[in-house]
Every structure is written in C-alpha cells, then in structure tokens.
Amino acid sequence: MKNSKFIIGGLFILAAVVYLIASSTQASAEYFMTIEEVREQESEIVGKSLRISGAVLGDTIDYDPDTLTITFTVAHVTGDNDEIEANGGLALVLYNAVREEGTPRLDVVYNGPMPDLLQNEAQAIMTGYIDADGLFYADELLLKCPTKYEEAVPDQSEG
Amino acid sequence: MLPSLGYGILVITLLVLIYSVAVAIYGEVKKSAAMVESARRAMLLALPLITVASAILIYLLINDRYDVEYVWSVTNRSMPMYLKITAWWGGQPGSLLFWSWLLSSFTSAVTLRKWDRDRELLPWVLVVTGITLAFFISLNVFFENPFKLVPAGVSIPLDGRGLNPLLRHPGMIIHPPAQYLGFVAFTIPFAFAIAALITGRTDDRWIRITRRWTLWAWLFLSLGLVLGMRWAYDVLGWGGYWGWDPVEIAALMPWLTGTAFLHSVMIQEKRGMLKHWNMILIILTFDLVIFGTFLTRSGVLSSVHAFAQSEIGPLFFVFIVFIFVASFALLIHRWVDLKSETEMKSMLSREALFLLNNLLFLSILVVSFWGVMFPLISELFTGSKVTVGPPFYERATGPLWGALMLLMGVAPLSAWGHSTIKTLGRSIWKPAVAALIAPIWALIAGITNWVALIGFTLIALVITVSIREFWRGAQARSKRSGESFFSELWKLIKRNRRRYGGYIIHISMVLMGIGIIGIELFQSDTQQHLGIGDQVELAGYTVQYDRLDQFRHEDGRFITRGEMSLSKDGKDLGTLAPRYDLYPDGQPMTIPAVRSTLVDDVYIILVNWEGITAESTPFKVYHNPLVKWVWIGGYVFIAGIIIAAWRDEEEEKI
C-alpha cells in the first residue's frame, strides 16, 4: 500500500515520457532517402518531410541576388557507409558522383545565406520536401567537405 | 629518430600498464601487499612516460617536422606558436594521446593519495583506471600512431596542411580540453564505484572519496558544453548556438546522468538510500563518456564534429559493451548487499523530489538517446531510414526542462523524511507570489506567448526561492551572533559549500533559461541585398550599410569587411563590421558582427558569394533577444561550482 503511490507516480512519469517521445517523433520524423529512391518514388512522396544527402555539382550553383534564393543540383551518393568506404571513401565517392553523367540528380531550391561550404563536390545534407514541380525545397542545408577535415597522405591527395 | 622514440615510449607505456593491471589483480588474489605496491608504482610511471611522448610530439609540431604525418596534417608554417602547441589535440591521433595524458595525470593524483582507510579499494582502482588507460594507449599504438612518418619514397612535404580555420578560435582551443577533462575525470568516480562493488563495501565511502572529483568533472563537462555553444555562436555564423547535432547530444548525455548522479549521491550520504541507483548512474555516465568519444571518432554519424572514418570504431564498441556488461554483472552480483537503510515514505519529501529530479534527467536522456538511435532502429525494423531533427528534441524535452525548473523551485523548501502539501505550501506561497511579478511584467511588456510566460514564472520562482535561502540562513545566524549580515552570509556559504554552491548553480541554470527562452521563442531575422547607404530594419533597429573593404591580410587571407552603423529610434548605437575571410587553401570563414546587450543581440552576417560589390552585398541580420543571459548564466555557474567543489578546511584530506 505504502509503495503503491510511488508505483503509480512512476507509471505516470513513464507514460508521460512515452507520450512525449511518440508524439514528437510522429510530428517531426524525416525520411532519409537517397536521390535514386527519390527519383523512383517521386509521385508518392510529394510533400513528405525528407532528409536527403547528395554531392553538389559546382557548375549548377546559381544564386538570385534579389531574393537570396540558391538553386543547385545534387548527384546521387549512396547512404551506406560501408559502401562509401568500399568505394574509396567519401571524398572519392563525391568526386565520382559529380563526374559521372549517369547518376540520378535532383534540383534543389534553398532560401538562406550562402553557406561557406557550398562548393563543388561537397556533401549536402538537406531537409525539406519535394513539391509537385519535382524540385526539392530545402529548409535546412548542412554541408560537409570531407577533404577539409582529414585528408589522405600527401602523395594520394591528388586524384 | 625522435618519432621512433616517441612511438617506443608509447609501446613501453602500454606494457607498463598491462603489468600494473595484471600484478594488481594477482597481488589482490594472493593477498600480497608488496605486489599491489609494485602495481601502484608501475601506474605512477604512466604519467612521466606519456608526458615525454607528448613533449616529443609537441617538439615535432613546433619544429615543422612534416615528415611526420600528424604534424603535416594539423599544422603549417604560417601558424603561430600557440596554435602549433594546441595542435596536440587538433586531430585524431594527437587528441587520443592528449586524452591518455589527462587520464594518466588523474590516475597519478589518485594513486598518490593516502590509502590508509581504503587499502582494499586500491588494487581495483588501479585495475579499472589501468584498463581504461591501456585501452586508449593501445588505440595510439595499434591504429592511430601520432608519430607515423610519411610513407618511404614520398618526398617530405615542404609545408603542412594546417588547422581548419574554423578551429583557429580561442573558444576552439579551450573547448576540447575542457570537454576532455570533464569526460576523463569521470573515470575516477567510476573506478571507485567498481572497486566498492568488487570488494563489497556497501557504505558511501566511495562517494565521499570521489565527491569533489565528480564536481570538478561536472564543471569541466559543463564548461565544455558552454564553450562549444559560444564557439558555434561566434564562429559558425548561423545565428544560434545549439543545433541538436548528434555530437552535441553525445556530450549532453553524460552531463545528464552526471547531474542526476550529483543529486542522488546526496540521498545516499544523508539517508542511506538509492544505492543501486547511484551505481547505475555512475556506470551509465562513464559508459556514455566512452560512447560520446566513440561517436565523435568512429565516423558513424555525419556531423560537423566527425573525424574521418576510422578503424577504431569497432574496438570502441567492444570496449563500451565490455564496460556495460561487466559493470552491470557486478552490480547484480551485489544487488542484495546494497539495500536501502531507510524507506522512502512521503512523496513530497526531499528525497522523493530528488528521485523525481533523477527521473526527469533520465527521461531527457532517453529522449536524446531515442533521437540518436531512432534512425538505426527504424532502418532495422521498417527498412526505411527515418531521422528526427531539432523540433523533435525541443518538443519532447521542453516540458521536462520545465518540470526540472519547477523542482528547483520546490525541492529546496521540502523537508527530509516527511513533507506534506500543507508544510510545503506554507513555505512556498510567499516566493510563489513574488515570482508572479515576472509574468505580469512580461505581459505588460507585450509578451503573450504562454510558454514564455510559464518559463519566466518558473525562473522567477527558482531565483526567489534560492535567494531567500541565503537570506534566511544569514539572517538567522546574524540574529544569533549579533554580527553583521554579510559576514554571516560569508560564513554560511563557507560552512555549507555544497548546499549554497548548489543554489548558485540553480540560479545560473535559470539565468541560462532566460536566454534559451529568448532565442528559441523570439528570434527573428531578415536577409537583404544592400548597396552602400541602404538601410534595413529589424525589431526596431535600423542597420545602415556604410562601407565595404576588400583586402589581402599579410597571412594570406582575403578579407571582405562590411561596415554597418546601428541605430534605434534615431539614436546611434555604434558600428558593426561583419567579415568574410577566405583562406589561401580556399576555406572560407564567416565572422558575424554582434552587438550584445542584456536585452537582445543584433547579429549580422556578411553572406558572401561570388562577385560581391558595393552596390549589392547580401546580409543576414538576426535579432536574438536575451541570448546574453546564456553566457551570464555560464559565468555564474562556474562561480557556483567552484564554491561547491572547493576543499573544506575541516574536511579530512582525501
């Protein structure tokens, strides 16, 4: 009897935490998709919250000075870390994705300040949604240039 | 020559550590004090050995020895001396060595203490710290050798690659060591906890011995978090300081369990309760420390902190699982011996509210852990990779932080053992009424956001309750002794460092809360293209674009610098100069210009892009209300914890 109020209290906290986690997950889950998957299921995922990673094509970066709208194209890279390693590391995978013509691509629209790291062969990690026009509207744009953080030994850095 | 010597010393260190651990166990089993003493002395060798290895590495760094891969990868000729030295922890192998050096310093300090009363704990403390240290040294020896030379046949590079410019910031120089100090120092309370479990000492001796260790560990862990936030705000140029990046969460998680631990050990000391719980918390904290290190170093997560993909990931994983399984097996083995000496009776008693505080911290931990692990879990079960972003964490942890604030207001007024709504109500109504001034004031100021109003009420409650505790204590003493209020206040704090330091820490936390509410709920921004002479308005401020300078700095950077004059209601508030530096290696860096007051920050970024001209320069202006209180809270916090952790004069030497 004496313990029951503590047990009830504990269960109440547990229920509250489960509710908080479940409802917040529901409200803010983002689907992580590769560009290849996006291209395959384009019509079904319109409007859904997505998180996409791709290699930035430097030539396509365009910037509208009046609205601060940035548009660029990203090329498909695999989302699988092991596969990236097997293919020679992130830097090389990004480099190849940009160079090869056949990789699926996606046009991105982003409204915001120009990030320092938005450059050719950067890895763009974006959240946003695909609209009916087939463009990806990114709300958030994270960029990673693997070569800037740790590089291969000197003799391998070229190529 | 020198690099080989450095590597050789690391190998010797590893052998010495293995010897120390093996002999400590053997000596304990054979009940041979001489062998345990030998193990203790071997452990004392670790610090000088690692110090020499580190000195060699620093010597190589400051002498531009680019035949060493690590030196090449983190320094270059143009870097000033202090940056060359701090490059010690600028990359993976060096920072692992730095970590080992810190741990060996702490281990030496512990090994040198007087062990009279606690002889039986000594061998096991040596074993736990020795294994941990050996693990980190073996990472350097087998996988991440800081003394590795560039491959034979490759010409020695003439210059190094240099440190990432984003990391060339004073905050970035102190942030990693602070974070590491916090992480590493938790090894000591963990080692004593495990020693207590193995030897079956179920009293609170291990807690008393490590009390101040834990506080200092917690100080540095917290300091590391605040410095990291400050660096993000000053350098990363996105207008915020906390992005719920997985690595930020990795540093937050041990902080959460550590904070819960700091509170719940008091229950064990005072009431002999929650013994299992304290063990669970210290085990979790230490395991989360290693987990956090693993997350940053293994490349499993994409993040601004991520080091390159590395081979040490699986090894870390094994070590984490080993700590977890071994510690919990021991705990279950001792489960019955750790029975509480008293029972918890009243739900509003101090100990029950402390327990509630613990559960709330653990709930935030679970939310954070879920957020990090959810993508992996979801992929495992549904095949689709799903992730959650900052809105998830804000939404799920917001009410929990709020509940913690309420507890900070209520718990200091509750009594040990037994408390009822009536007794609690009697002591809380006055501060509660006083706290209502805050929301009323906010309403008059035009704030109608109900989350903010609740937040401000709770903040005011915590501040009034805490200050009232100081006032009541000092007042009572001064009445009794007839001495002045302030001299009694001084004595009061000196006599009860932990309690009053704790209240100061509570105040510091809610001061940070003011800033967090301000930026989370009321941040606004605008982006515009301006020509010289143009103006932009935001939140009552007028920003006028006055001039643009573009020049090359002597160290090779190309600097673009805008000058803006800031005014409000026609009153001139000075000049702000946001900058954009392009480093010779092509790495750009955006340096925001900030005017910071207690009320709000105006934060301007020069949003550079090709072809910037005086006629058309893109700017982004943020209005961040109250954010300065985050940093003020940080200073108060440091003061509070130093008071709490300072050695008591009458305390026995430990």
Side-chain angles (χ1 to χ4, degrees):
Chain A
M1 194 53 220
K2 205 163 50 191
N3 275 331
S4 64
K5 61 183 175 187
F6 286 104
I7 292 169
I8 292 167
L11 286 176
F12 176 76
I13 294 173
L14 191 69
V17 172
V18 169
Y19 168 77
L20 276 174
I21 291 180
S23 70
S24 306
T25 307
Q26 196 105 54
S28 56
E30 290 158 351
Y31 291 82
F32 210 115
M33 296 181 96
T34 63
I35 290 162
E36 199 169 52
E37 286 163 346
V38 169
R39 281 276 164 246
E40 281 162 10
Q41 312 166 29
E42 212 165 296
S43 53
E44 303 148 42
I45 53 171
V46 168
K48 229 177 182 181
S49 186
L50 302 178
R51 197 171 168 91
I52 293 176
S53 141
V56 176
L57 274 62
D59 301 341
T60 64
I61 300 173
D62 186 47
Y63 166 66
D64 181 349
D66 296 326
T67 55
L68 281 180
T69 306
I70 305 159
T71 56
F72 57 95
T73 305
V74 286
H76 169 81
V77 288
T78 173
D80 184 356
N81 271 341
D82 294 337
E83 207 176 318
I84 289 174
E85 279 307 287
N87 289 331
L90 186 58
L92 191 62
V93 167
L94 291 169
Y95 174 76
N96 285 333
V98 169
R99 216 172 38 156
E100 280 161 24
E101 295 279 317
T103 48
R105 296 181 174 193
L106 183 67
D107 296 326
V108 179
V109 181
Y110 175 71
N111 205 297
M114 190 67 179
D116 292 344
L117 296 173
L118 184 60
Q119 44 192 257
N120 196 32
E121 291 166 33
Q123 183 190 24
I125 303 162
M126 303 161 291
T127 53
Y129 62 96
I130 300 265
D131 211 347
D133 56 12
L135 295 175
F136 183 73
Y137 290 86
D139 307 319
E140 193 193 339
L141 174 61
L142 278 170
L143 291 146
K144 203 172 148 188
C145 294
T147 52
K148 294 294 172 213
Y149 289 88
E150 294 251 333
E151 231 162 354
V153 288
D155 60 325
Q156 295 166 351
S157 60
E158 304 298 320
Chain B
M1 181 56 211
L2 264 180
S4 320
L5 179 65
Y7 183 71
I9 290 174
L10 288 182
V11 175
I12 293 168
T13 313
L14 182 59
L15 295 174
V16 166
L17 288 168
I18 292 170
Y19 170 84
S20 172
V21 170
V23 171
I25 295 175
Y26 191 72
E28 170 69 9
V29 173
K30 291 278 170 205
K31 298 277 164 256
S32 156
M35 294 195 85
V36 173
E37 182 57 21
S38 169
R40 190 177 82 96
R41 292 193 176 172
M43 182 60 87
L44 283 174
L45 271 178
L47 178 61
L49 284 170
I50 299 173
T51 305
V52 172
S54 303
I56 292 174
L57 184 64
I58 292 171
Y59 177 85
L60 295 170
L61 283 165
I62 55 183
N63 284 293
D64 305 314
R65 287 284 299 269
Y66 300 123
D67 54 332
V68 177
E69 230 178 63
Y70 182 70
V71 176
W72 168 80
S73 71
V74 293
T75 61
N76 61 24
R77 290 189 190 278
S78 69
M79 272 164 61
M81 176 69 95
Y82 75 97
L83 279 178
K84 283 183 182 171
I85 295 171
T86 57
W88 180 11
W89 55 80
Q92 175 97 290
S95 66
L96 286 170
L97 182 63
F98 181 62
W99 174 290
S100 300
W101 182 75
L102 289 175
L103 183 53
S104 66
S105 318
F106 291 167
T107 309
S108 297
V110 164
T111 310
L112 286 170
R113 71 183 286 275
K114 277 206 206 96
W115 284 90
D116 317 335
R117 279 177 59 192
D118 323 290
R119 267 285 143 196
E120 77 263 37
L121 297 178
L122 171 63
W124 300 112
V125 170
L126 289 177
V127 169
V128 176
T129 52
I131 290 177
T132 310
L133 191 49
F135 169 74
F136 279 96
I137 290 287
S138 66
L139 292 178
N140 269 141
V141 168
F142 297 113
F143 299 96
E144 298 284 352
N145 175 10
F147 300 104
K148 193 172 157 201
L149 301 173
V150 290
V154 175
S155 58
I156 293 166
L158 293 174
D159 199 358
R161 206 159 48 89
L163 204 61
N164 186 329
L166 292 174
L167 304 180
R168 294 172 198 165
H169 176 271
M172 242 319 115
I173 291 159
I174 327 168
H175 162 66
Q179 199 77 54
Y180 287 180
L181 273 169
F183 273 17
V184 173
F186 269 114
T187 312
I188 306 301
F190 172 75
F192 276 91
I194 294 298
L197 278 180
I198 294 176
T199 55
R201 265 185 87 154
T202 56
D203 60 1
D204 57 10
R205 185 69 191 148
W206 70 274
I207 288 173
R208 290 186 189 276
I209 295 172
T210 59
R211 180 157 80 196
R212 287 175 45 254
W213 276 106
T214 313
L215 278 171
W216 288 110
W218 194 66
L219 164 66
F220 284 110
L221 197 54
S222 314
L223 201 59
L225 285 168
V226 174
L227 285 168
M229 282 154 69
R230 187 67 208 237
W231 171 75
Y233 191 72
D234 284 351
V235 173
L236 289 184
W238 50 277
Y241 52 83
W242 185 265
W244 293 101
D245 176 289
V247 175
E248 290 169 353
I249 296 173
L252 180 67
M253 287 198 293
W255 186 86
L256 291 168
T257 50
T259 312
F261 178 72
L262 279 180
H263 286 94
S264 76
V265 289
M266 291 186 235
I267 310 288
Q268 183 167 347
E269 287 177 28
K270 288 238 159 64
R271 313 277 298 169
M273 292 191 284
L274 300 183
K275 291 181 180 177
H276 301 117
W277 186 241
N278 288 326
M279 284 290 173
I280 293 172
L281 285 177
I282 192 64
I283 294 168
L284 276 182
T285 304
F286 182 66
D287 221 8
L288 285 169
V289 159
I290 305 293
F291 181 67
T293 322
F294 160 71
L295 279 187
T296 36
R297 280 149 198 297
S298 59
V300 289
L301 294 166
S302 357
S303 132
V304 280
H305 292 77
F307 285 78
Q309 290 279 346
S310 167
E311 324 222 314
I312 63 180
L315 216 68
F316 254 108
F317 191 71
V318 169
F319 190 55
I320 291 165
V321 173
F322 167 71
I323 295 167
F324 194 82
V325 172
S327 312
F328 276 100
L330 263 175
L331 177 58
I332 290 164
H333 174 64
R334 292 282 177 206
W335 194 263
V336 185
D337 303 335
L338 290 170
K339 243 178 55 191
S340 286
E341 289 151 29
T342 32
E343 248 183 72
M344 203 172 279
K345 291 192 194 77
S346 159
M347 270 183 96
L348 291 173
S349 63
R350 181 77 70 91
E351 54 265 39
L353 293 180
F354 266 62
L355 184 60
L356 182 59
N357 137 308
N358 271 231
L359 293 177
L360 288 169
F361 274 112
L362 274 250
S363 301
I364 297 172
L365 174 77
V366 170
V367 170
S368 308
F369 195 73
W370 172 259
V372 177
M373 299 310 281
F374 179 58
L376 305 175
I377 297 166
S378 154
E379 197 182 7
L380 212 60
F381 289 102
T382 65
S384 65
K385 243 187 172 175
V386 188
T387 173
V388 290
F392 164 78
Y393 297 101
E394 282 155 18
R395 206 187 126 135
T397 62
L400 299 170
W401 293 117
L404 277 174
M405 286 208 273
L406 181 63
L407 271 186
M408 278 195 272
V410 176
L413 301 174
S414 72
W416 293 101
H418 192 72
S419 236
T420 62
I421 296 206
K422 219 168 153 190
T423 58
L424 204 54
R426 211 172 318 151
S427 45
I428 207 172
W429 76 268
K430 275 188 214 158
V433 169
L436 283 177
I437 293 169
I440 291 168
W441 189 24
L443 271 172
I444 292 168
I447 294 168
T448 52
N449 183 313
W450 64 273
V451 177
L453 290 176
I454 294 176
F456 288 139
T457 313
L458 291 172
I459 288 166
L461 179 69
V462 175
I463 293 176
T464 33
V465 166
S466 307
I467 291 180
R468 189 155 159 264
E469 287 296 302
F470 283 97
W471 187 81
R472 281 209 308 194
Q475 187 78 354
R477 287 178 72 103
S478 134
K479 229 176 230 166
R480 237 178 309 142
S481 69
E483 281 190 51
S484 83
F485 177 80
F486 286 103
S487 82
E488 287 302 333
L489 182 66
W490 175 248
K491 277 188 215 154
L492 178 78
I493 297 171
K494 233 169 103 182
R495 292 275 154 76
N496 307 278
R497 285 184 190 288
R498 186 156 54 156
R499 179 162 170 205
Y500 290 97
Y503 289 144
I504 293 172
I505 294 167
H506 283 180
I507 292 173
S508 79
M509 289 291 154
V510 294
L511 290 180
M512 287 191 184
I514 296 175
I516 293 169
I517 290 175
I519 198 167
E520 286 286 338
L521 299 174
F522 302 111
Q523 185 180 45
S524 58
D525 61 72
T526 178
Q527 302 168 33
Q528 304 217 355
H529 259 262
L530 304 177
I532 303 277
D534 286 352
Q535 292 186 337
V536 54
E537 308 237 343
L538 181 71
Y541 287 94
T542 307
V543 178
Q544 180 171 311
Y545 181 26
D546 294 332
R547 78 185 256 158
L548 177 73
D549 293 311
Q550 291 185 289
F551 55 95
R552 191 168 291 282
H553 189 265
E554 57 189 25
D555 65 8
R557 270 181 295 175
F558 187 73
I559 295 174
T560 304
R561 184 170 170 277
E563 254 183 44
M564 338 274 294
S565 50
L566 183 72
S567 60
K568 188 174 192 176
D569 304 327
K571 209 175 128 222
D572 181 35
L573 297 173
T575 309
L576 286 172
R579 248 168 55 207
Y580 183 92
D581 295 3
L582 192 66
Y583 280 82
D585 61 358
Q587 168 74 46
M589 186 166 169
T590 304
I591 297 139
V594 187
R595 177 185 184 266
S596 186
T597 67
L598 292 179
V599 179
D600 53 13
D601 280 20
V602 176
Y603 182 105
I604 305 176
I605 310 170
L606 181 59
V607 187
N608 195 30
W609 185 231
E610 290 153 355
I612 197 166
T613 61
E615 288 73 46
S616 174
T617 316
F619 288 100
K620 181 151 186 171
V621 184
Y622 287 93
H623 180 244
N624 296 334
L626 300 173
V627 73
K628 194 169 197 172
W629 290 95
V630 173
W631 321 124
I632 293 175
Y635 297 129
V636 176
F637 173 80
I638 294 168
I641 201 158
I642 287 176
I643 288 172
W646 205 260
R647 186 195 295 277
D648 281 328
E649 281 148 29
E650 59 268 42
E651 199 181 334
E652 57 168 325
K653 211 170 151 53
I654 49 172

